[in-house]
Amino acid sequence: MENQLLQRITLDLNICHGKPCLRGLRYPVEFILELLSSGMSIEDILADYDDLEREDILAALLFATRLTQLTLPSLSCEGFPVQPVTLSTKLSPNRQWVVCPRA
């Protein structure tokens, strides 16, 4: 079930500047999280955005959960090329992260 949900998260540099989105639509995961954190229920979101499905909201939550479980020691990149990336958020402008591809 988890894998099916996470497959709904897409990354495309041509859609929302490469941010994680839902099913290739122009709904970034961060937008869904902001709606939920503002107090909207899943039902409210689905009523306002009729091209979204309940599983899309659950996928956004699961994706965010997995991201918060990452720690620097667990990001072992042994055998993979390491590429530093600068990410900017409202809370952490220009924070440096190390990203490595997984086989």
Side-chain angles (χ1 to χ4, degrees):
M1 175 75 171
E2 268 189 26
N3 194 33
Q4 289 175 333
L5 286 176
L6 290 176
Q7 287 178 357
R8 290 175 171 266
I9 307 299
T10 58
L11 295 167
D12 183 335
L13 292 176
N14 296 312
I15 299 175
C16 295
H17 307 285
K19 292 181 179 185
C21 291
L22 297 170
R23 294 185 290 126
L25 302 171
R26 295 188 181 278
Y27 293 109
V29 168
E30 69 180 86
F31 175 68
I32 302 303
L33 297 174
E34 287 174 356
L35 294 177
L36 291 166
S37 68
S38 75
M40 288 184 76
S41 68
I42 291 175
E43 291 75 22
D44 293 337
I45 295 170
L46 295 176
D48 286 353
Y49 303 95
D50 53 354
D51 49 346
L52 290 178
E53 301 170 358
R54 180 176 180 78
E55 289 76 14
D56 294 326
I57 311 303
L58 298 177
L61 289 169
L62 180 59
F63 183 78
T65 300
R66 293 295 169 259
L67 282 180
T68 63
Q69 293 170 340
L70 295 176
T71 59
L72 288 179
S74 72
L75 293 176
S76 172
C77 296
E78 189 174 321
F80 294 98
V82 176
Q83 176 182 1
V85 176
T86 301
L87 300 175
S88 292
T89 65
K90 292 177 186 174
L91 297 177
S92 302
N94 300 319
R95 180 150 185 188
Q96 191 80 15
W97 296 86
V98 174
V99 176
C100 60
R102 291 291 187 182

